[in-house]
Amino acid sequence: MLRTVAVCSLRRSLKWNFAATGNRVVRMLHSNPLAQSQAFVNGRWVGARSGATFDVQNPANGQVLGAVPDMARDDVQQAIDAAYDAFYETGWHNSTAKERAALLKNWYGLMEKHRQEIASIMTAESGKPLAESLGETAYGNSFVEWFAEEARRIYGEIVPSPVANRQVMLTRHPVGVAGLITPWNFPHAMITRKAAAALAAGCTVVIKPAEDTPLTALALARLAEEAGFPKGVINVITSSRTHAAEIGQLLCGSDKVAAISFTGSTEVGKLLYRQCAEGVKRIGLELGGNAPFIVFESADMEKALTGAMNSKFRNCGQTCISANRFLVQDAVHDEFVEKLIGRIGKLRIGDGSHDGVQIGPLINRAQLTKVERFVNEAKERGATVRCGGRPLPEHGPLYYEPTVVTDLRDDMLLYNEEVFGPVVSVVRFKTEPEALAIANGTRRGLAGYFFSQDLNQVFRVARELETGMIGINEGLISATEAAFGGIKESGVGREGSRHGIDEYVYIKYLCYGGLQ
């Protein structure tokens, strides 16, 4: 049986003190019961050994929300040791599927109960509109519910033996400690999509959230504590960019870590892949995209426009499956662009905590600089900015105007690379083969979208488009039940769906011989 753990009531007061930092005042979300200022290791709330912390800022206004531990290699080793001991010494790997399912259901129930508190933290640290944060909370919660149910369906197999006196059996077992490295753009869903699958399989986890958005992760850890998970099963460590590289290297190189799951840039993913190769470690990667969004002349224009808005401007264009290159057939190019500009003009920009806001800020200065550089480079090379194309300092230091750029050429950054911002990059094409050549002419292959009412064309293009996921007459494709992942340099493995468990189990072959 699992060891019981003492957990404090969630309703206890978690007030934060005010503390001076230079000329600023650090003020945490002191009215939010899920707000935490420490990391969660081995069932305890702890700081860094060094005592170091780093600030978490609201990208909408630059306000410092609070400070969390800036943990280094030694701190993370403690978390790895705790997860390893919980897996082997306290018997988590021998827990029953029913026990794991019950704990995940407890966690899910608490997440559902505290949707508003989770969403408020998420909006404060990521900048996304509150409506989107509430949507992500529901989406992220659904992974915990899904894998609570899947935990009891991790089946083995009885295989007909080629020899009469043998019985062949295949069983599935948890791989061990899983290191989960998650991004800032979906700070809730990217944790639950990984952690719930790993926990359902019987693994323990060490979660390293992005330095821009650690507070959501700590809120989820607070609820996991309340749900009753044994100490060491779930660990959340926080660090600034200063220690990110050494922590990634430790997780990839440690003999006590059996699997790594990472969502983020292709460049970092390749680095982690190389580091995992030394130990032939299990790895799952969900990396960058360069999603084509193809509008054929047979498309339903209203559906294509709605799909474009949904795919491009969610989270201010900062999603890995955002449409990046809009390929529009010559016959409908001008109509699509004009109507899209009209819709973009109605978007409300501002602080995501305010009612009705649809576009918030970019996450940080580096991202704003990147978006500016991509658009300016296209302008200098002859592209046409049809709307937008500038920062919006009147809203705050990290806002960028929703933008449409046409007349792109294949030597421009907007044509070749993922912008990760509210920029629609439009390329005109004449024929279906031309559109497919452009869409597939990249090393990225995460998601793609196309709109067509021609049934024959739908089947042709769906077969030929080189991406792991495709939206056909649809701009919103993420679902708990679907297998999420890419091909080419966009990743390895799948998350969500029944296949999400596969990343955290191995198959053991048992041959019973000498049977009479």
Side-chain angles (χ1 to χ4, degrees), residues 37-75:
S37 63
Q38 293 184 305
F40 189 65
V41 176
N42 202 25
R44 297 185 301 115
W45 294 96
V46 300
R49 285 184 177 183
S50 66
T53 62
F54 66 97
D55 291 342
V56 182
Q57 293 185 322
N58 185 336
N61 52 31
Q63 178 188 11
V64 175
L65 299 170
V68 296
D70 190 2
M71 304 181 101
R73 188 181 182 92
D74 289 346
D75 300 298

Side-chain angles (χ1 to χ4, degrees), residues 218-240:
L218 296 176
L220 298 182
R222 179 69 190 90
L223 294 177
E225 180 187 31
E226 176 73 7
F229 284 93
K231 69 177 186 178
V233 170
I234 297 176
N235 305 274
V236 179
I237 52 99
T238 58
S239 82
S240 67

Side-chain angles (χ1 to χ4, degrees), residues 1-3 5 82-104 107 151 173-178 195-205 224 227-234 504:
M1 294 293 292
L2 300 178
R3 296 194 305 178
V5 293
Y84 188 83
D85 289 345
F87 183 78
Y88 287 105
E89 301 300 327
T90 64
W92 178 253
H93 72 295
N94 284 327
S95 60
T96 67
K98 185 175 181 179
E99 288 172 325
R100 298 194 299 273
L103 287 169
L104 285 166
W107 199 19
H173 301 264
V175 296
V177 177
L199 295 166
C203 295
T204 56
V205 298
F229 284 93
K231 69 177 186 178
V233 170
I234 297 176
Y504 302 100

Side-chain angles (χ1 to χ4, degrees), residues 176-256:
V177 177
L180 312 179
I181 306 174
T182 60
W184 49 263
N185 56 341
F186 288 94
H188 178 15
M190 295 303 95
I191 288 175
T192 54
R193 192 162 74 185
K194 298 175 190 296
L199 295 166
C203 295
T204 56
V205 298
V206 177
I207 301 168
K208 163 62 174 73
E211 57 273 5
D212 291 301
T213 55
L215 302 179
T216 303
L218 296 176
L220 298 182
R222 179 69 190 90
L223 294 177
E225 180 187 31
E226 176 73 7
F229 284 93
K231 69 177 186 178
V233 170
I234 297 176
N235 305 274
V236 179
I237 52 99
T238 58
S239 82
S240 67
R241 286 179 177 82
T242 303
H243 299 294
E246 68 182 46
I247 290 173
Q249 189 173 34
L250 175 61
L251 288 170
C252 292
S254 172
D255 291 338
K256 291 185 175 181

